Amino acid sequence: MRILFAGTPEPALPSLRALLDSRHEVVAVLTRPDARSGRGRRMEASPVAKLAEEAGVEVLKPEKVRDPAFLERLSEIAPDCCPIVAYGGLIPKSALDVPRHGWVNLHFSLLPAWRGAAPVQQALLHGDEITGASTFLLEEGLDTGPVYGTVTDEIRRTDTSGDLLARLAESGARLLAATLDAIEDGTARPVPQPADGVTLAPKVLADDARIDWTAPALRVDRLVRACTPAPGAWTVLPGVDGEEDLRVKIFPVTALPGSTEVPPGRIVRDSRGLTVGTGSGHTVRLGDVQPQGKRRMPAADWARGLRLTGDEAFV
């Protein structure tokens, strides 16, 4: 089939590579416009745009998919099917109706669970043991279309959202390529999603990533892993003697066995670094941290430079 691939960030790259190597012809790529990135805030093309350009594929970057110029070009290209992975924008009906086999979305959950922008993060936040990826026929509703196929993956005890998404991006790419093969062969049979089991996965914002130390240790652990690498879990160390409060980014922690009398948020230094009290009466050991304005470092290294009296607590 002649296909137009839609995607933007790194998790879409395995799918684009798989389709470039498939029996189908990638005639164009749709991606989000260039955006500012990095410390220099320079304008940069998306990861998908860069890969497509390297492969010599036409790249389309409309501000909105409903833009008349893009819709006209889409009709000129006349793709048979449009696979889409983490594009980052809504596809209007005027575009959905162009390819004869529609738009096939790869979504990183087992639908109808976790419809929305952050399925991997929400699966980790809620302590799911199994997740996966689904291919489905895109409709105007939020991830509501009939499902072509799924792959499953066991969530590991130490998985961050970055770890899990990387695995699902690879297995999902194989699923997407197989789905397109089945569509061309006439063997694909999309199945309507059940009405039961629907959950929503809204985007996790920076405010959502602030650690509540009064929560149980298990909840703190899940939040940190779900927010790594983005948007990044964080907390605040109040300033003393007129100093400003310090915002600290927290990377994956280790929940320690056994109850303690350490109050929630209280910081304790020992021979291995820093532990922090939680609302369940258990402490968590900090791994890496990144104090505002500094590089990422092991908590033990940061601890050596702290002047702790024993009363300090994150808030």
Side-chain angles (χ1 to χ4, degrees), residues 10-15 18 85-86 106-111 113-114 118-124 128-135 150-156 159-177:
E10 286 194 17
L13 294 181
S15 289
V85 184
L106 172 64
H107 184 73
F108 298 116
S109 80
L110 298 175
L111 292 170
W114 304 129
V120 171
Q121 290 166 311
Q122 294 294 346
L124 286 171
D128 291 2
E129 296 180 352
I130 299 291
T131 188
S134 307
T135 50
T150 61
V151 291
T152 60
D153 197 314
E154 183 177 353
I155 297 179
R156 301 168 189 171
D159 270 342
T160 65
S161 61
D163 298 331
L164 184 53
L165 185 55
R167 293 204 307 275
L168 293 176
E170 294 292 343
S171 60
R174 296 189 291 271
L175 172 65
L176 181 61

Side-chain angles (χ1 to χ4, degrees), residues 60-77:
L60 305 170
K61 305 177 182 179
E63 287 292 335
K64 295 182 178 179
V65 176
R66 63 173 57 90
D67 289 351
F70 169 74
L71 292 174
E72 181 179 357
R73 183 61 186 138
L74 180 64
S75 296
E76 292 172 352
I77 293 170

Side-chain angles (χ1 to χ4, degrees), residues 91-109:
I91 308 299
K93 191 174 188 303
S94 53
L96 291 175
D97 290 342
V98 173
R100 62 191 180 99
H101 290 300
W103 294 64
V104 177
N105 195 168
L106 172 64
H107 184 73
F108 298 116
S109 80

